Amino acid sequence: MNIISQNTAFGGMQGVFSHESQACQCEMTFAVFVPPQAIKEPCPVVWYLSGLTCTHANVMEKGEYRRMAAELGLIIVCPDTSPRGNDIPDELTSWQMGKGAGFYLDATEEPWAENYRMYTYITEELPALVSQQFRMDMSRQGIFGHSMGGHGAMTIALKNPERFKSCSAFAPIVQPSTADWSAPALEKYLGADKAAWRKYDACALVEDGARFPEFLIDQGKADGFLENGLRPWLFEEAIKGTGIGLTLRMHERYDHSYYFISSFMDDHLKWHAERLA
């Protein structure tokens, strides 16, 4: 693991690191905030997954999570959203496919299958690396994210309920297999058989029997992607009768930006801290 930068913030450390990923077959960059409590004892970990076009840096620079994470004693891990590098396949004509648009899945179709293995990277490789480098209590993990990252957080939690004790999302894509900006990517990554898409679709996972105790979702009513891409009411409908809890908060005037995310970041960190206590 290589150190790119380390800065003191709120008594803790904000770091940016890189390493050679076996899952993605390239160098990957990620950020970690370690609160001051980690000097004395292992701390719970919350994973933040970013949205389309983002890197680790978007939430690190604009998410405003450090003050509350330091107060609550939470380690925050912010991975990248896709493999990177000159030799990595990309789709230059679409921001919804290729670099910056990994959708937190393991691709099976060429030319994507060799590098676009973000599900394995997030659930196996990166946890194994960071747990050796930082004082993390891996028995207390939460996960959240924004948009494509909200999709990633919800699907990963639903498939790994024994690992994660909390999950929340900002404006998640809850049914990517039918959303305008995600279905084409799923077809290119996973092939034309829509049955393969279901394990990366929160609504479909619930329909197929996956369970997680509860979710927090915040959504802006002024979000330009709400009607065609996000549609949180579909998840609300999918969980009826399942016992899955949902706190869905719809906010007037808020859009899809980090102004929205930073406005409710404290609420999400408190949500995770309560469930990781």
Side-chain angles (χ1 to χ4, degrees):
M1 192 178 78
N2 303 309
I3 299 172
I4 296 175
S5 65
Q6 289 182 308
N7 300 94
T8 300
F10 297 98
M13 184 277 296
Q14 176 65 68
V16 179
F17 309 92
S18 67
H19 73 114
E20 289 296 325
S21 167
Q22 294 301 309
C24 298
Q25 293 294 301
C26 65
E27 184 178 65
M28 295 291 285
T29 301
F30 62 95
V32 180
F33 175 73
V34 181
Q37 293 88 335
I39 296 173
K40 296 182 179 179
E41 60 186 4
C43 291
V45 187
V46 184
W47 298 79
Y48 179 89
L49 307 185
S50 291
L52 287 161
T53 75
C54 292
T55 69
H56 70 281
N58 297 72
V59 69
M60 186 181 76
E61 295 171 355
K62 298 182 287 188
E64 301 182 21
Y65 58 80
R66 279 174 287 272
R67 178 186 59 80
M68 185 56 65
E71 180 179 324
L72 298 171
L74 298 174
I75 293 174
I76 310 296
V77 182
C78 307
D80 202 348
T81 56
S82 76
R84 305 280 177 177
N86 294 333
D87 298 328
I88 301 299
D90 195 13
E91 191 162 297
L92 299 178
T93 59
S94 175
W95 56 275
Q96 299 162 338
M97 184 71 195
K99 294 178 187 177
F103 279 95
Y104 303 103
L105 51 76
D106 282 351
T108 57
E109 300 298 300
E110 297 300 333
W112 315 102
E114 181 178 355
N115 304 105
Y116 284 78
R117 302 183 67 241
M118 290 300 295
Y119 179 80
T120 294
Y121 179 70
I122 297 295
T123 60
E124 297 180 18
E125 184 176 23
L126 190 55
L129 175 66
V130 297
S131 63
Q132 295 176 356
Q133 301 293 331
F134 304 96
R135 299 192 72 182
M136 297 179 168
D137 182 350
M138 299 300 279
S139 70
R140 294 187 289 164
Q141 294 187 67
I143 189 166
F144 69 147
H146 170 231
S147 194
M148 178 184 73
H151 137 77
M154 293 174 69
T155 56
I156 288 171
L158 282 163
K159 291 194 285 185
N160 298 274
E162 73 291 341
R163 176 182 300 185
F164 296 100
K165 298 184 181 299
S166 57
C167 182
S168 68
F170 301 99
I173 309 171
V174 301
Q175 197 178 77
S177 60
T178 63
D180 290 349
W181 64 350
S182 50
L186 294 188
E187 182 170 4
K188 291 176 182 178
Y189 284 137
L190 301 173
D193 183 1
K194 292 185 178 181
W197 305 6
R198 295 184 68 82
K199 62 182 178 178
Y200 300 111
D201 182 308
C203 290
L205 282 167
V206 170
E207 292 170 1
D208 292 344
R211 296 292 181 264
F212 196 78
E214 57 183 335
F215 295 89
L216 168 64
I217 294 177
D218 276 311
Q219 174 65 61
K221 288 187 176 181
D223 190 322
F225 302 110
L226 177 58
E227 295 293 333
N228 294 324
L230 306 172
R231 307 169 296 166
W233 49 84
L234 296 179
F235 189 71
E236 190 174 32
E237 182 67 26
I239 65 170
K240 285 183 178 178
T242 65
I244 296 173
L246 174 63
T247 301
L248 173 59
R249 308 191 303 183
M250 303 293 294
H251 302 279
E252 299 286 350
R253 304 189 306 279
Y254 283 94
D255 58 19
H256 200 68
S257 70
Y258 268 88
Y259 296 108
F260 158 63
I261 295 169
S262 62
S263 296
F264 300 101
M265 178 62 77
D266 283 3
D267 290 354
H268 283 246
L269 294 179
K270 290 174 182 178
W271 168 276
H272 289 279
E274 289 172 1
R275 286 150 184 81
L276 300 176

